[in-house]
Amino acid sequence: MRRPSAVLAGVLLAGCCALPASAADGDRGFTIKDPRITESSGLAASHLHPGVYWTHNDSDDGPYLYAVDSATGKTVATVTLRGIGSPRDVEAVSIGPGNQIYVGDIGDNLGGKWPYVWIYRLPEPKVLEDQAVTAVQYVVKYADGARDAESLVVHPKTGRVYIIDKNQDGGHLYQGPAHLSASGANVFEPVAPVDLWATDAAFSPDGRQLAVRGYFGGVYYGFDGGRIKREGRLDVPLQGQGESLTYSADGTRLMYGSEGADSSVQAEDAPGRSSGPASPGSGGSAAGGGGAGTSGGVGLGAVVAVGAVVLLWMRRRRRS
């Protein structure tokens, strides 16, 4: 995907202030250690394997999914998608009913020029080992013309697929047919505006919340059959290039991922839920894409405060 100039500022800020997540924390945050994964652009909590997260690279990688153990940050299985064409720009992964994995080949680095994009569906493997799995390929078109997108979500109860396009001035939630067809094009219709430059999204396990993230902020909505109502702001951690988002399997945490080698996945409490203290280095930020909302989160001020404490400690250590 194209890297806007604003992301460079995020890289500098995150590099100066953010603390690395610990792989040992599991759902409290981890670091992806596979040297093959340098552009993690999507994230989905496994339904069959506790503590495992599925991810993939952006473009120029191939038809691969990686299962990462959050306890160690290591890849425990590589799945090759069989029976599909050559992926163009894979940007999202989501798991729907029946433990079906949906992969969104929906990016468009030409700014919305592709006449169609693709979705791939495959069953989540019951055994974590390197293997090839046959996938179904769906052709996707938008009712109002081609566009770039990085967010694909599958409703956990109905199995309906939704896409949010990526637009700096805010995009739209697009609703797919009730059932995707492998023959012919599946037309996605805009059903609601989304006031964010969206890089990923996720449904809560109960399907009642839709969380959407951008590079420096996020919002969450109440969801009711395709209708959404904004409920508040997400506490998005500072990351170099925040590209992925998923709920933990139990729905208590939101897991935020970023592109780059040895990229960290940071955890925050999901809205209205709490599972203990936040992961190391995570802090709320609404810069460039959140807007007003709930007041939760310590934000950038806490990161600055931590930096001040570290500096004070270093000075005292020198004196001693």
Side-chain angles (χ1 to χ4, degrees), residues 16-51:
C16 291
C17 300
L19 302 177
S22 169
D25 284 337
D27 286 346
R28 293 165 59 86
F30 60 97
T31 297
I32 298 175
K33 297 182 178 180
D34 191 330
R36 297 172 298 174
I37 305 173
T38 58
E39 292 186 300
S40 175
S41 296
L43 203 63
S46 170
H47 285 190
L48 298 179
H49 309 286

Side-chain angles (χ1 to χ4, degrees), residues 20-33 40 43 51-55 68-74 239 246 255-257 262-267 279-280:
S22 169
D25 284 337
D27 286 346
R28 293 165 59 86
F30 60 97
T31 297
I32 298 175
K33 297 182 178 180
S40 175
L43 203 63
V52 168
Y53 288 83
W54 293 96
T55 189
V68 179
D69 183 355
S70 64
T72 64
K74 296 180 179 180
Q239 294 177 309
T246 187
M255 312 296 290
Y256 297 88
D262 298 317
S263 60
S264 66
V265 175
Q266 296 176 257
S279 63

Side-chain angles (χ1 to χ4, degrees), residues 3-18 197 215-216 238-242 285 287-288 300:
R3 291 170 171 78
S5 58
V7 177
L8 178 58
V11 172
L12 296 175
L13 186 57
C16 291
C17 300
W197 192 14
Y215 289 117
F216 309 120
L238 295 168
Q239 294 177 309
Q241 189 172 340
S285 172
L300 181 59

Side-chain angles (χ1 to χ4, degrees), residues 40-115:
S40 175
S41 296
L43 203 63
S46 170
H47 285 190
L48 298 179
H49 309 286
V52 168
Y53 288 83
W54 293 96
T55 189
H56 55 81
N57 280 313
D58 198 328
S59 53
D60 302 324
D61 182 34
Y64 307 122
L65 286 175
Y66 304 95
V68 179
D69 183 355
S70 64
T72 64
K74 296 180 179 180
T75 297
V76 292
T78 300
V79 172
T80 302
L81 278 63
R82 183 173 55 200
I84 66 172
S86 178
R88 205 158 43 193
D89 192 354
V90 178
E91 292 288 355
V93 60
S94 182
I95 303 181
N99 305 321
Q100 296 291 304
I101 300 177
Y102 292 75
V103 180
D105 190 356
I106 56 176
D108 190 341
N109 287 334
L110 299 179
K113 300 296 184 182
W114 301 120

Side-chain angles (χ1 to χ4, degrees), residues 299-311:
L300 181 59
V303 178
V304 175
V306 170
V309 171
V310 172
L311 289 174

Side-chain angles (χ1 to χ4, degrees), residues 33-314:
K33 297 182 178 180
D34 191 330
R36 297 172 298 174
I37 305 173
T38 58
E39 292 186 300
S40 175
S41 296
L43 203 63
S46 170
H47 285 190
L48 298 179
H49 309 286
V52 168
Y53 288 83
W54 293 96
T55 189
H56 55 81
N57 280 313
D58 198 328
S59 53
D60 302 324
D61 182 34
Y64 307 122
L65 286 175
Y66 304 95
V68 179
D69 183 355
S70 64
T72 64
K74 296 180 179 180
T75 297
V76 292
T78 300
V79 172
T80 302
L81 278 63
R82 183 173 55 200
I84 66 172
S86 178
R88 205 158 43 193
D89 192 354
V90 178
E91 292 288 355
V93 60
S94 182
I95 303 181
N99 305 321
Q100 296 291 304
I101 300 177
Y102 292 75
V103 180
D105 190 356
I106 56 176
D108 190 341
N109 287 334
L110 299 179
K113 300 296 184 182
W114 301 120
Y116 55 85
V117 291
W118 299 300
I119 293 173
Y120 314 121
R121 178 179 59 83
L122 66 153
E124 181 174 13
K126 295 180 180 179
V127 177
L128 290 177
E129 62 184 14
D130 293 351
Q131 58 192 290
V133 178
T134 299
V136 180
Q137 181 168 332
Y138 302 103
V139 175
V140 170
K141 292 186 176 181
Y142 300 97
D144 51 358
R147 58 202 56 252
D148 186 22
E150 296 187 3
S151 309
L152 176 145
V153 290
V154 183
H155 195 272
K157 304 300 183 182
T158 68
R160 198 157 197 164
V161 182
Y162 297 84
I163 294 174
I164 301 172
D165 64 335
K166 184 183 181 185
N167 190 308
Q168 189 168 359
D169 297 325
H172 282 80
L173 178 71
Y174 284 81
Q175 178 177 269
H179 303 284
L180 296 179
S181 172
S183 61
N186 296 272
V187 179
F188 278 58
E189 304 274 354
V191 293
V194 173
D195 45 350
L196 193 74
W197 192 14
T199 60
D200 204 4
F203 274 121
S204 59
D206 61 11
R208 295 179 180 178
Q209 280 185 350
L210 174 64
V212 187
R213 76 160 299 173
Y215 289 117
F216 309 120
V219 293
Y220 66 97
Y221 299 86
F223 184 88
D224 182 12
R227 296 183 297 273
I228 59 175
K229 181 180 179 181
R230 179 167 172 158
E231 294 184 344
R233 187 184 68 196
L234 295 174
D235 296 323
V236 178
L238 295 168
Q239 294 177 309
Q241 189 172 340
E243 291 270 326
S244 57
L245 173 69
T246 187
Y247 281 81
S248 59
D250 63 4
T252 62
R253 310 285 273 176
L254 277 170
M255 312 296 290
Y256 297 88
S258 177
E259 286 195 2
D262 298 317
S263 60
S264 66
V265 175
Q266 296 176 257
E268 293 284 351
D269 287 337
R273 297 165 173 84
S274 178
S275 63
S279 63
S282 59
S285 172
T294 57
S295 59
V298 293
L300 181 59
V303 178
V304 175
V306 170
V309 171
V310 172
L311 289 174
L312 180 60
W313 176 80
M314 291 176 66

